[in-house]
Amino acid sequence: MIRGILFDVDGVLINSEEQIAQACIEFFKRRGVNAVPADFAPFIGAGENRFIGGVAEKYGLTIDIEAAKIEAYGIYDELISGTDCAMKGTADFIRNAKKAELKTALATSADKIKLDINLKAIGFSTGDFDYAVWGNKVTHKKPDPEIYLTAAAGLGLNARDCLVVEDALNGVQAAKAAGALCIGLLGSFSEEELKNAGADIVLKDLSFFGSFSSHEEFKDRLEALVK
């Protein structure tokens, strides 16, 4: 039985992958490096240390990663603020889950500063969830399962009793390594890639769930979907 839902943030709550890539491309451009969006694909979901640092390594650029992140986050904030960036169906899904008395947690490999930028952009806060864990709170980033094990424990649950919503291959692998069920959302990767990473089911977005006449109907549909 599903008792908790653990949400990745980028690509799940907020359509942000294009903007964070653009922000990092601008960061590298200022240093004479012409990075392209494909450079960042292997590091999606692994946190900005790898998202920025991995590309810096590729181009042989030495950077101060903490200063690099602050600069990139500033550019990202300017790009994402005021845009229609909330992922379709996710807000209603979160509200339905809370009405159905399912516990909810955020589990993002991003730093707290980026999490706050993201939540502000879509009209949420960490207080809208029962627990939140971000990249600075864990030692090992996705695809390591630590972040999802930590999020489940923060809800007082075993990860086996949780459903993870992810869009990245690193995140799907982390969810399955933790023992959780996993919905993979299309966007950053294809259905085949998400299923190969271990996603139990792949959806375009969470509007699939729509509206419900009762909390029990929402729970029943959720359980049936991932069986």
Side-chain angles (χ1 to χ4, degrees):
M1 180 180 294
I2 296 170
R3 299 172 60 197
I5 303 179
L6 314 179
F7 296 92
D8 177 41
V9 177
D10 291 283
V12 172
L13 301 188
I14 182 169
N15 185 7
S16 58
E17 301 296 356
E18 180 180 348
Q19 286 88 348
I20 190 60
Q22 287 177 350
C24 293
I25 286 170
E26 174 60 25
F27 167 83
F28 284 110
K29 184 178 179 181
R30 293 176 181 180
R31 287 151 182 84
V33 173
N34 294 317
V36 296
D39 291 332
F40 301 92
F43 310 110
I44 292 174
E48 271 64 49
N49 282 38
R50 293 303 299 145
F51 196 79
I52 300 172
V55 176
E57 290 169 10
K58 175 179 178 177
Y59 287 100
L61 182 67
T62 300
I63 60 172
D64 177 333
I65 190 61
E66 295 304 321
K69 288 189 294 182
I70 294 299
E71 183 177 339
Y73 292 148
I75 302 168
Y76 172 71
D77 194 4
E78 293 177 3
L79 292 173
I80 201 74
S81 296
T83 66
D84 183 16
C85 55
M87 293 291 287
K88 185 177 180 182
T90 300
D92 286 340
F93 183 88
I94 293 168
R95 294 187 189 101
N96 281 325
K98 293 181 78 67
K99 288 177 182 177
E101 299 183 343
L102 295 171
K103 294 183 177 181
T104 60
L106 299 173
T108 176
S109 293
D111 291 353
K112 180 64 160 52
I113 184 173
K114 185 173 178 230
L115 172 61
D116 289 340
I117 291 169
N118 283 339
L119 293 177
K120 178 187 69 172
I122 60 174
F124 279 91
S125 72
T126 54
D128 293 310
F129 300 85
D130 297 302
Y131 190 75
V133 57
W134 47 87
N136 316 65
K137 278 191 161 187
V138 296
T139 302
H140 305 291
K141 305 296 192 297
K142 305 171 187 177
D144 188 277
E146 181 182 356
I147 198 164
Y148 284 122
L149 293 171
T150 302
L155 296 177
L157 300 175
N158 190 296
R160 291 192 299 271
D161 298 320
C162 295
L163 172 67
V164 169
V165 187
E166 264 286 356
D167 75 306
L169 306 186
N170 285 319
V172 172
Q173 291 166 358
K176 298 310 297 178
L181 293 166
C182 184
I183 291 176
L185 297 186
L186 293 170
S188 301
F189 298 95
S190 69
E191 180 175 3
E192 180 180 7
E193 289 172 315
L194 290 166
K195 285 186 174 179
N196 286 342
D200 295 285
I201 190 164
V202 176
L203 300 174
K204 181 180 179 182
D205 55 52
L206 292 177
S207 63
F208 171 88
F209 289 90
S211 58
F212 299 89
S213 58
S214 69
H215 306 155
E216 290 74 19
E217 183 185 355
F218 175 77
K219 281 186 175 180
D220 289 346
R221 189 166 184 184
L222 194 60
E223 294 278 356
L225 182 68
V226 295
K227 279 184 179 178

